[in-house]
Amino acid sequence: MENSTYALESRNSTANTIDYEYYYYTFEPEENEQNSSSIWSLHIVAMVFYSVAFLLGVTGNGLVIWITLFKMKMTVNTVWFLNLAIADFIFTFFLPLSIAYTALDFHWPFGLLLCKLNSFVAFLNLFASVFILMIISIDRCISVIFPVWSQNHRNTRIACIIVLAPWFCALVMSIPYAVFRDIGPDSKNKNIINCYYNFALSSTSNDIMETRFRIMVIIRFVLGFLIPFVVIVICYTVIAMKVLRNQLTNSSRPFKIIIAVIVSFFLCWLPYHIFSFLNLASASAAPHLRQVVKYGTPLASSLAFLNSCVNPILYVFIGKDFKEKLRTSILAVFENAFSEEHTQTSLKSKSNTSSTDCHAV
């Protein structure tokens, strides 16, 4: 079977084999009926994941956006969580396109613009989410290390300006995923139009196309996962050391939620990045590794999808008994989840405070 793992097709043709990238999979016809059945079962599982992510993501993140914008006092924390919800909402809103694409046996009837936009939005969500989580971690670290300065200078106006930076970086880094996305007839069935990565552009060199693909995978991992992960770990290590040194006993629910959101992001996206690198090595790998990549990549991508609907659930169900949460109004739940923690005051006075107002204005 001719290898085109890197989507090394020309502008006017489509791949003959697997397009592993992100969540579009155009599998080669299997050699036996059992394998074909397994692949189709995998597609059904993927569509279930997509559907769950769409229903929960649009509903949950839509609620977060509505409540933080119209029902709550705007604080620094609500600025962060609002932007996380916006990134997830935009992504899940486009998921029906992916569901339809899979259900139609990878026939793309929606045109070139939506093909490019769908891929662009997906990676915009990835980069924007992880960059915002990194900003949140830095913000918490500064609040703990410099409580007095933070109390005097940390405010919503500055937060609204700062949050533009991760959005801008995410926009820039997502552009290649729109540029290289293309549509064209399937090589085995001209009536089927695929939405795929075309790394050829004006070049006909396989080496250049393969290099472009490798660069995108490496950049996505380093800038969209590794560096943010290192920064976040450093920030929370510093926070933990400071808290232990000052013998603070108060436990803030917003702090727990931030930790939970960060952990869920990395748990959901780590398998995707692992399979991206396995994909790079699968061209010259043993057949069993190629099988692992073939079956594992859709599942890893589906898990990454679910991250976009997890955050609203975490906001509601962390920190208190489940039955108590069910008795709490939606507005009260989100107000409690997004209220500013009182680490700053505790670090200065080591005394508890019941104030729920934002410290930062």
Side-chain angles (χ1 to χ4, degrees), residues 42-85:
L42 192 62
H43 292 169
I44 293 176
V45 171
M47 284 188 287
V48 171
F49 273 90
Y50 301 166
S51 300
V52 170
F54 169 70
L55 294 174
L56 296 182
V58 170
T59 303
N61 290 295
L63 277 173
V64 173
I65 294 170
W66 177 69
I67 290 174
T68 52
L69 281 178
F70 303 110
K71 298 295 183 179
M72 294 178 59
K73 176 183 176 181
M74 189 62 66
T75 66
V76 174
N77 274 349
T78 55
V79 171
W80 306 142
F81 288 109
L82 170 63
N83 281 270
L84 274 177

Side-chain angles (χ1 to χ4, degrees), residues 23 42-60 91-103 301-303 305-306 308-309:
Y23 50 84
L42 192 62
H43 292 169
I44 293 176
V45 171
M47 284 188 287
V48 171
F49 273 90
Y50 301 166
S51 300
V52 170
F54 169 70
L55 294 174
L56 296 182
V58 170
T59 303
F91 169 66
T92 53
F93 184 79
F94 278 82
L95 277 180
L97 295 177
S98 304
I99 297 172
Y101 186 48
T102 307
S301 298
S302 298
L303 179 62
F305 278 17
L306 289 181
S308 296
C309 64

Side-chain angles (χ1 to χ4, degrees), residues 101-289:
Y101 186 48
T102 307
L104 294 173
D105 199 19
F106 302 98
H107 170 63
W108 184 266
F110 307 111
L112 179 60
L113 178 60
L114 282 180
C115 174
K116 291 179 175 293
L117 184 60
N118 199 35
S119 182
F120 174 81
V121 166
F123 287 98
L124 177 67
N125 167 257
L126 163 64
F127 291 120
S129 296
V130 72
F131 292 159
I132 292 171
L133 290 175
M134 185 170 62
I135 293 295
I136 292 175
S137 303
I138 295 173
D139 171 58
R140 307 320 302 159
C141 187
I142 293 175
S143 298
V144 170
I145 301 301
F146 307 105
V148 177
W149 182 91
S150 181
Q151 184 174 359
N152 293 330
H153 296 88
R154 181 173 173 267
N155 57 66
T156 55
R157 181 179 61 85
I158 293 178
C160 290
I161 296 174
I162 291 176
V163 82
L164 295 177
W167 277 110
F168 176 77
C169 293
L171 283 168
V172 172
M173 294 183 64
S174 301
I175 290 175
Y177 295 93
V179 171
F180 289 118
R181 209 66 184 176
D182 202 356
I183 61 173
D186 185 81
S187 59
K188 291 180 170 53
N189 186 347
K190 301 303 180 181
N191 294 322
I192 293 180
I193 302 298
N194 294 141
C195 176
Y196 65 99
Y197 283 105
N198 177 5
F199 292 100
L201 294 181
S202 59
S203 173
T204 58
S205 169
N206 282 358
D207 290 337
I208 292 178
M209 290 184 281
E210 180 178 332
T211 299
R212 288 170 178 168
F213 174 69
R214 290 180 177 274
I215 289 174
M216 287 181 66
V217 171
I218 293 172
I219 289 177
R220 183 173 63 221
F221 173 74
V222 173
L223 298 184
F225 190 87
L226 181 61
I227 292 178
F229 178 74
V230 171
V231 171
I232 289 170
V233 168
I234 291 174
C235 287
Y236 281 98
T237 300
V238 171
I239 291 172
M241 293 174 61
K242 185 71 173 181
V243 170
L244 292 174
R245 187 181 302 120
N246 286 272
Q247 298 179 344
L248 299 178
T249 59
N250 59 311
S251 178
S252 170
R253 186 174 181 227
F255 184 83
K256 291 180 180 179
I257 291 176
I258 293 170
I259 293 292
V261 169
I262 291 171
V263 170
S264 68
F265 179 89
F266 285 106
L267 289 180
C268 288
W269 278 100
L270 178 59
Y272 172 78
H273 289 287
I274 291 175
F275 275 96
S276 292
F277 278 99
L278 288 177
N279 177 32
L280 290 178
S282 65
S284 58
H288 70 275
L289 178 59

